[in-house]
Amino acid sequence: MDAVSQQGTSAKVIPFDLNAPFLLFPVRHHSPVCSYQLIKTIELYQPEAVLIEGPENANELVQVLADERTTLPAAIYYYYKDKKKYISDEGKDYKCYYPFLYSSPEYNALKAAAKMGIPAFFIDLPYSEILINTKENEGLLKGDEQSYADDSRLASGQFYKRLCEKTGIRSFEEFWEKYFEIEGLNKTPEEFVRAMHTYCTLTRSGENEEKLKADATLIREQHMAFNISEAMKVYKKVLVVTGGFHSLGLYELLQSGNIKPVKQHTVPKGCTGCFPAAYSYEAADALHGYASGMSYPYFYDSVFLKVTEQGSPVGVYDEVSLDMLTRCAKECKVKDLPAAISDVTAAHTLMHGLAALRNISGCGIFELFDGVTSCFIKGEKTISTAMPLEILKKLATGDGVGRIGDTAHTPPLVADFESKCEGFKLKYHSAVVQEKDISLFKSERELEMSRFFHRMEQLDTYFAERLKGADLHSGKDKSRVREVWRYRRSPQVDSALIDHTADGFTIEEACRNIFSSRLNRGSKCELAAQTAVDCFLCGIELKDEQQAISDIISSDGDMLSVGKGLILFDMLYNLSRLYEYDSTSPRGYLEMCFDRLIGALNDLADIPDEQAGDCIEILKRLYALVDTLFGEKRDILYAALFELTTAEDIHPAVLGAGVGLLYAFDKKNQRLAEDIMRGYLNGDVEIKAKGAAYLRGLFSASRDIVFGDNDFLRMTDKLIISMPQEEFMEILPNMRLAFSGFTPQEISRTAEAIAAVYGGSADSLLYREAVDEGLFMFGRELDSELSSAFERT
């Protein structure tokens, strides 16, 4: 590496001149050595202004990031809404993060400038302008890119691969740590900058102009160079901190003396902006997909903080590695993994031996991992035995989440979120997954916490996930009064809250406005009812939107949608009384749905097979309601059901349900049910198959029809034995569904009835060992052959 540095031409092209009007300092984002050498360079150069690579529309946030009350990791969150469709005809929304760690050179440039009392500026194009000038699938438009800075080019191309081959190093990160992070601490600022310029210039030599234009590199460098030239008109000495990849391009532009300003696009007000946001070590980790991150950010942050604490880089890597090793051993002990003191001693000795063998002046992260691998893992490395490595990875990555100190610049929803977390004593300053057990009726506080989690779900923050509890949308486990939630703070939480800032200044207000907007745009009764369920879970009443819900119910022409809405509103009516809510609104919606269905029940006759189950549930709910709330409409429902059963092309399962409910109204309708069943039995195989679906609907609506006498059992038996095996296998799912709703007691009664038909005991049907179907068929064939043989003799 030293030979490369000495032979490189970049040292001659980009000078390190402490008397020059500008000084380019190349960095790798979040690099401790870059921060260390940058601070020394600022002391030597004594600039009058510091210019930093970063979108310039965040300059008002410089003081927020440098504030002593701000805890890192933190980030600048940028957003852009492409309403003018500069980027594509889709008019998408875009967002990205510009993270800062304690080891970030950009952060230390801001802190140093604040300490010296000199100005610091971001000089890059605004985020929106970078996007507009980037071609599809390039730069910030590449995949799901959400990180502003990108150091991936330092590890691309053939140059670094050849270096790794020549130096016998396994990866770029290991190469970088050895020659820059560890050995770079022992260099002078001039030596370090020369090495950085050399490496970055040789890396850039492998890129073509078209590529640099496509990802907006060239236009960004033009804009940064223009801002540098403008700054030099005001300040005598300007320090410029940018990614090392840009150094050569900036220097050549500044030397040319012909720098034109970039003409920027007009962006509508409110379509672009930025906020300070909390960030996490996990999100800043290159191993978790952050393009500009270094692996194991907490480890390298610890290195930089140790250097700052002791004022010297001597022995810092050895100290941090040893500390991480002992913490790993303690965590292994907590998890009952074998990690004795002798293992720690052996790993520590091995780490130093590897560092000496590799000619490194300190034990880095790779020596640490090699030591743990060799001394903590007993025998073959497998998924189960590699647990110490997973522990070490988590420790080196870190689980901390930062905090913005200047609350005046905290987005209102983020401030409300943090206030609510404080009130509920939730551990939101850590990225570690936490669990919370909530008893809904234990106290008002517990209920409010549940509503807070549900509200965070509605805002798509992915802050909380319900593991246990009632699922009201599907109608499952409605009686559960206990919830278990899993939650964790991540940058996505802050970004989602910032995105919803336009919806309100508190989480409750934002949810209220989202629900209101959803209802005002809606046209389906089912979706309106789902929104009403969300309002109930979030503890939000929508008084002003009641007319909107009524209009949706009145205008929805899809009776299946109205029926599903009926089921949800019925559930809400009952739950509202339980939770002591105003239940008048759900009852009103419920009656509207009921009346609409009664008037158009025939619309449910001819429906696809996959909707038959929903239709049956709707019919059953209508019947249940005339037994509870709407008794005065009993005769109207009876007439509507009778008309439904006479509809042409009615689905057999729906017909069965309708007839079953008519039987529930009046037992005299059993003859009607039997006559319809005989019609199916006298048909061909296809008609008989529909008979199974008919039984499914019939039994689901009125199971006790089975126990009136044995006629239905005999007809069901006749249906089964009259069909060839292949056809029987086709109707088997419907037959199973027909009996799936029977209670254990009803199953016992059914077994007694079947035993009476065939002779025998119910216990023999319920508890005897099942006979293999293939063996049964073979026995029947054998019995037939034997009977024929006896007849011939």
Side-chain angles (χ1 to χ4, degrees):
M1 179 62 194
D2 290 335
V4 173
S5 179
Q6 291 169 8
Q7 294 172 10
T9 59
S10 64
K12 299 178 182 178
V13 175
I14 309 175
F16 185 85
D17 187 352
L18 295 176
N19 297 312
F22 72 91
L23 180 63
L24 297 178
F25 192 95
V27 301
R28 182 184 181 189
H29 302 287
H30 316 316
S31 163
V33 70
C34 289
S35 290
Y36 173 72
Q37 295 289 6
L38 173 61
I39 292 171
K40 291 179 67 176
T41 299
I42 291 175
E43 293 173 355
L44 292 171
Y45 185 60
Q46 289 294 302
E48 294 183 4
V50 177
L51 309 184
I52 303 166
E53 178 189 344
E56 62 187 6
N57 53 320
N59 274 324
E60 64 178 16
L61 301 180
V62 167
Q63 297 304 319
V64 180
L65 293 171
D67 194 306
E68 293 294 337
R69 295 168 294 176
T70 295
T71 303
L72 302 186
I76 299 174
Y77 171 80
Y78 295 90
Y79 70 90
Y80 170 60
K81 302 177 184 294
D82 190 27
K83 288 188 177 180
K84 281 201 169 185
K85 300 182 179 179
Y86 287 130
I87 299 173
S88 70
D89 292 336
E90 298 175 8
K92 292 182 179 179
D93 294 346
Y94 300 87
K95 60 185 177 183
C96 80
Y97 296 95
Y98 187 179
F100 297 86
L101 310 180
Y102 289 107
S103 57
S104 300
E106 298 87 348
Y107 171 74
N108 284 287
L110 294 176
K111 294 290 287 184
K115 185 177 180 180
M116 295 175 65
I118 61 175
F121 307 104
F122 293 121
I123 58 172
D124 202 352
L125 282 170
Y127 173 59
S128 57
E129 198 65 31
I130 297 174
L131 290 171
I132 293 169
N133 285 280
T134 302
K135 287 190 176 180
E136 187 178 1
N137 296 322
E138 298 288 345
L140 290 178
L141 295 180
K142 183 170 54 181
D144 191 24
E145 188 68 69
Q146 289 190 10
S147 56
Y148 157 74
D150 186 355
D151 282 332
S152 60
R153 278 187 165 126
L154 297 180
S156 64
Q158 296 299 316
F159 176 60
Y160 97 90
K161 294 179 181 178
R162 292 290 303 275
L163 282 177
C164 289
E165 290 174 4
K166 292 287 186 182
T167 55
I169 291 179
R170 294 168 289 187
S171 66
F172 168 75
E173 292 295 341
E174 188 173 354
F175 162 81
W176 175 268
E177 183 184 67
K178 175 180 177 180
Y179 287 107
F180 284 95
E181 292 301 336
I182 296 178
E183 301 307 324
L185 292 173
N186 301 319
K187 296 179 181 292
T188 65
E190 183 175 1
E191 291 170 340
F192 176 78
V193 170
R194 181 185 293 116
M196 281 289 294
H197 280 322
T198 299
Y199 181 85
C200 295
T201 300
L202 291 172
T203 300
R204 180 160 177 152
S205 65
E207 300 281 352
N208 59 63
E209 290 289 305
E210 287 301 317
K211 178 76 172 176
L212 297 176
K213 182 179 180 181
D215 65 9
T217 295
L218 296 183
I219 196 169
R220 288 174 58 196
E221 289 175 352
Q222 179 185 341
H223 186 71
M224 286 192 283
F226 178 78
N227 280 335
I228 295 169
S229 64
E230 290 297 297
M232 286 193 293
K233 295 176 183 178
V234 180
Y235 306 105
K236 294 180 180 179
K237 298 178 75 174
V238 176
L239 180 73
V240 182
V241 182
T242 66
F245 190 82
H246 296 297
S247 295
L248 182 61
L250 290 174
Y251 186 77
E252 290 176 344
L253 284 169
L254 291 168
Q255 289 298 104
S256 69
N258 183 26
I259 310 169
K260 297 180 180 179
V262 174
K263 186 177 180 181
Q264 299 186 31
H265 296 73
T266 302
V267 176
K269 186 177 180 181
C271 287
T272 186
C274 55
F275 291 95
Y279 209 64
S280 69
Y281 279 112
E282 182 182 44
D285 184 12
L287 296 179
H288 286 83
Y290 175 45
S292 187
M294 290 180 64
S295 304
Y296 313 114
Y298 180 73
F299 175 85
Y300 290 110
D301 244 17
S302 299
V303 168
F304 179 75
L305 292 173
K306 178 65 70 173
V307 172
T308 306
E309 177 188 336
Q310 68 183 34
S312 168
V314 177
V316 290
Y317 271 92
D318 291 338
E319 288 188 44
V320 174
S321 295
L322 178 59
D323 177 64
M324 204 70 70
L325 176 64
T326 54
R327 289 176 60 191
C328 179
K330 290 178 181 178
E331 191 66 26
C332 286
K333 186 176 181 180
V334 170
K335 297 183 181 297
D336 293 326
L337 298 173
I341 295 177
S342 58
D343 296 324
V344 177
T345 303
H348 187 239
T349 302
L350 180 60
M351 287 160 51
H352 281 274
L354 289 172
L357 186 64
R358 294 166 180 171
N359 197 26
I360 307 174
S361 58
C363 295
I365 193 71
F366 294 95
E367 287 68 46
L368 176 58
F369 269 96
D370 289 341
V372 170
T373 302
S374 297
C375 302
F376 280 40
I377 297 176
K378 314 298 183 183
E380 183 182 0
K381 180 182 175 182
T382 63
I383 294 177
S384 59
T385 61
M387 184 61 73
L389 288 178
E390 293 303 314
I391 292 172
L392 181 57
K393 286 178 183 178
K394 289 183 179 181
L395 290 172
T397 298
D399 58 17
V401 175
R403 187 174 188 178
I404 301 301
D406 185 355
T407 56
H409 287 82
T410 303
L413 281 184
V414 176
D416 188 48
F417 160 76
E418 292 184 345
S419 173
K420 292 291 190 299
C421 287
E422 293 281 356
F424 294 127
K425 293 182 171 55
L426 300 176
K427 299 177 181 178
Y428 69 99
H429 283 310
S430 171
V432 175
V433 176
Q434 309 286 338
E435 279 196 10
K436 193 68 178 178
D437 196 320
I438 298 176
S439 297
L440 297 177
F441 294 106
K442 182 179 180 180
S443 66
E444 184 67 23
R445 180 177 177 276
E446 296 275 298
L447 182 58
E448 285 300 318
M449 193 186 310
S450 170
R451 290 168 177 167
F452 169 67
F453 283 139
H454 280 291
R455 291 172 186 176
M456 293 298 288
E457 274 194 326
Q458 291 300 319
L459 296 178
D460 297 321
T461 62
Y462 295 96
F463 171 67
E465 176 190 8
R466 191 179 72 250
L467 302 179
K468 295 179 182 177
D471 185 355
L472 300 187
H473 286 282
S474 65
K476 296 179 180 178
D477 301 322
K478 292 180 291 185
S479 60
R480 284 197 173 187
V481 295
R482 176 175 167 269
E483 294 178 341
V484 178
W485 290 83
R486 179 165 55 198
Y487 70 93
R488 69 190 290 261
R489 177 79 172 270
S490 70
Q492 189 172 6
V493 174
D494 292 66
S495 67
L497 292 173
I498 292 169
D499 287 341
H500 283 291
T501 297
D503 295 313
F505 287 166
T506 67
I507 292 172
E508 180 179 354
E509 183 184 2
C511 288
R512 184 186 304 277
N513 288 330
I514 288 171
F515 294 148
S516 176
S517 176
R518 194 187 298 170
L519 289 171
N520 289 324
R521 296 195 314 266
S523 60
K524 287 290 185 182
C525 178
E526 179 188 3
L527 297 181
Q530 294 280 9
T531 301
V533 171
D534 289 331
C535 291
F536 174 80
L537 291 171
C538 294
I540 293 174
E541 292 187 64
L542 295 176
K543 295 290 186 182
D544 297 335
E545 284 71 27
Q546 291 182 7
Q547 187 59 48
I549 297 177
S550 299
D551 291 342
I552 291 172
I553 297 172
S554 301
S555 60
D556 190 358
D558 182 355
M559 287 302 106
L560 195 66
S561 170
V562 176
K564 290 180 178 179
L566 172 98
I567 293 173
L568 289 172
F569 285 130
D570 185 30
M571 176 189 67
L572 283 180
Y573 172 72
N574 293 307
L575 288 176
S576 296
R577 292 186 298 166
L578 178 64
Y579 283 78
E580 298 182 350
Y581 259 44
D582 177 17
S583 59
T584 55
S585 295
R587 192 188 192 284
Y589 304 144
L590 185 58
E591 188 166 7
M592 289 184 67
C593 291
F594 186 96
D595 291 341
R596 286 223 60 204
L597 285 165
I598 292 296
L601 207 57
N602 280 11
D603 289 355
L604 297 176
D606 185 17
I607 59 172
D609 288 338
E610 61 270 15
Q611 295 178 345
D614 292 329
C615 185
I616 291 171
E617 292 303 315
I618 292 168
L619 295 178
K620 289 163 61 178
R621 190 60 60 97
L622 288 171
Y623 178 79
L625 285 170
V626 298
D627 265 0
T628 54
L629 291 178
F630 309 132
E632 72 279 4
K633 302 182 181 185
R634 186 180 182 87
D635 293 341
I636 301 174
L637 176 60
Y638 183 88
L641 285 171
F642 193 85
E643 184 181 353
L644 173 68
T645 59
T646 62
E648 294 184 8
D649 299 324
I650 185 171
H651 191 285
V654 177
L655 175 59
V659 172
L661 292 174
L662 289 175
Y663 170 80
F665 272 112
D666 187 348
K667 303 303 180 187
K668 294 178 182 178
N669 286 314
Q670 179 169 342
R671 183 170 294 279
L672 171 63
E674 292 172 354
D675 290 342
I676 294 173
M677 185 61 190
R678 288 191 186 95
Y680 284 118
L681 287 174
N682 293 329
D684 56 19
V685 172
E686 185 177 347
I687 296 298
K688 288 180 179 178
K690 292 182 179 179
Y694 169 75
L695 286 176
R696 167 192 168 191
L698 182 69
F699 291 167
S700 67
S702 185
R703 295 191 296 273
D704 60 339
I705 199 170
V706 177
F707 311 119
D709 54 44
N710 291 332
D711 284 349
F712 261 100
L713 288 176
R714 290 190 182 94
M715 285 189 286
T716 303
D717 182 57
K718 183 179 178 182
L719 173 69
I720 293 172
I721 65 176
S722 66
M723 302 190 75
Q725 183 181 5
E726 293 77 10
E727 283 75 15
F728 172 72
M729 295 304 295
E730 290 184 12
I731 72 165
L732 185 58
N734 272 318
M735 293 301 298
R736 284 177 171 165
L737 285 172
F739 291 93
S740 63
F742 283 56
T743 65
Q745 184 178 4
E746 289 169 338
I747 291 173
S748 296
R749 290 180 62 190
T750 304
E752 291 172 1
I754 294 173
V757 172
Y758 278 96
S761 68
D763 288 348
S764 66
L765 293 174
L766 291 172
Y767 305 116
R768 73 181 180 183
E769 186 176 349
V771 177
D772 181 82
E773 185 179 357
L775 182 61
F776 174 78
M777 295 300 294
F778 173 74
R780 191 163 70 172
E781 291 177 9
L782 183 61
D783 185 60
S784 178
E785 290 292 336
L786 289 172
S787 297
S788 299
F790 280 125
E791 289 176 1
R792 288 196 297 271
T793 58

